[in-house]
Amino acid sequence: MSETIKQILARLDHAAHRGGAFGSDVLLAIAGVLPAGDITSVETGCGKSTIMFSNLSRRHYVFAYDDRDLPDSSVTMVQSDPEVKGDRIEWVYGPTQRTIPYYKFPDGLLFDVMLIDGPHGYPFPDLEYAFLYEKLKTGGI
């Protein structure tokens, strides 16, 4: 893991947004087990993890509720961060139970890493997992 990622996460340690936030220690642990090299990642929800993945992934897909009209917006926090690599992110806005099943992923796309952190109440994590699982590479996280 690069010093840049450690510095970014240290800077964001107490940052939070509408949905709350992973602690930087959790994100450092996640970064520490990621495969080496260029990775392709996907997450539901967005926040500090999005900033981290934008720096670690060649392509990062984000399925998130578009909350940019709210004062403590998760999307705005990410998109306005000076360290985010916005050109590596594919934003898909809307409820995940509607966006993930109908999203047209590129043919053959498989993810090295998936982070399911969108809506936390049952059945949403299970639905996200069910729709994304087939896109996880063998040995993916």
Side-chain angles (χ1 to χ4, degrees):
M1 172 184 0
S2 74
E3 282 303 311
T4 302
I5 295 301
K6 291 178 184 176
Q7 292 168 351
I8 291 169
L9 293 176
R11 177 179 56 80
L12 294 171
D13 193 36
H14 299 290
H17 49 85
R18 189 176 59 81
F22 280 117
S24 292
D25 56 335
V26 172
L27 293 172
L28 283 169
I30 291 170
V33 298
L34 295 179
D38 286 334
I39 62 172
T40 302
S41 52
V42 62
E43 74 179 308
T44 58
C46 72
K48 293 189 297 187
S49 54
T50 311
I51 298 166
M52 178 187 77
F53 280 119
S54 81
N55 280 267
L56 295 173
S57 305
R58 83 174 152 263
R59 195 76 181 141
H60 183 59
Y61 292 77
V62 179
F63 289 85
Y65 176 73
D66 187 355
D67 64 356
R68 290 177 285 183
D69 60 333
L70 300 174
D72 53 353
S73 164
S74 302
V75 174
T76 300
M77 183 203 74
V78 170
Q79 291 179 342
S80 64
D81 191 273
E83 307 281 358
V84 73
K85 308 279 190 224
D87 59 324
R88 297 180 183 182
I89 299 173
E90 175 77 25
W91 290 95
V92 182
Y93 296 115
T96 57
Q97 71 271 23
R98 293 188 185 139
T99 56
I100 294 173
Y102 301 105
Y103 185 75
K104 299 294 182 199
F105 290 98
D107 287 342
L109 175 68
L110 295 175
F111 294 105
D112 298 286
V113 180
M114 296 179 173
L115 178 62
I116 296 176
D117 190 34
H120 298 160
Y122 181 81
F124 300 107
D126 289 357
L127 289 170
E128 293 170 356
Y129 178 78
F131 286 117
L132 291 172
Y133 177 76
E134 70 181 22
K135 300 281 184 201
L136 185 62
K137 279 185 184 176
T138 299
I141 298 171

